[in-house]
Amino acid sequence: MSPNYALFEQAMAARKQILCVYGGYPRELCPIILGHSQGQEKALTYQFGGQSKSGLPPQGEWRCLWLSKVSNARLRDGPWFAGSSHTQPQGCVETVDLDVNPSSPYHPTRHVGHQRR
């Protein structure tokens, strides 16, 4: 487990935001699903602030991140954002380890404990 994976897991459990750099752009996001694809650590996140190459709508947008490409990640207190409900199944994370949704349809291997710190 990489330090980024552990930090994303901690953010999910404590419902904390993550500030990081991805693709050369500063991001503000909340991780929603954590796991692996093609043997690599991956996260489905909801980005609500910062920047990206494709721009960011005012209401935020779902982003799929390879954790090996995340740098300068740190936790921050603030509101938890998970976007509006989406009707399409996620295709970001193949093997789901953690999902903040308690009724996850993805059969996560572990469950996120809700911790307030």
Side-chain angles (χ1 to χ4, degrees), residues 1-54:
M1 178 187 313
S2 73
N4 279 342
Y5 193 96
L7 187 78
F8 274 61
E9 182 177 338
Q10 183 183 354
M12 292 170 76
R15 293 293 196 273
K16 291 192 180 278
Q17 299 174 357
I18 291 182
L19 303 181
C20 66
V21 175
Y22 188 84
Y25 294 92
R27 315 276 181 143
E28 299 175 25
L29 48 87
C30 293
I32 307 301
I33 292 177
L34 191 59
H36 295 82
S37 292
Q38 302 165 22
Q40 300 288 316
E41 295 173 341
K42 210 166 180 191
L44 177 64
T45 68
Y46 193 77
Q47 183 179 342
F48 59 86
Q51 303 169 345
S52 77
K53 185 166 74 171
S54 61

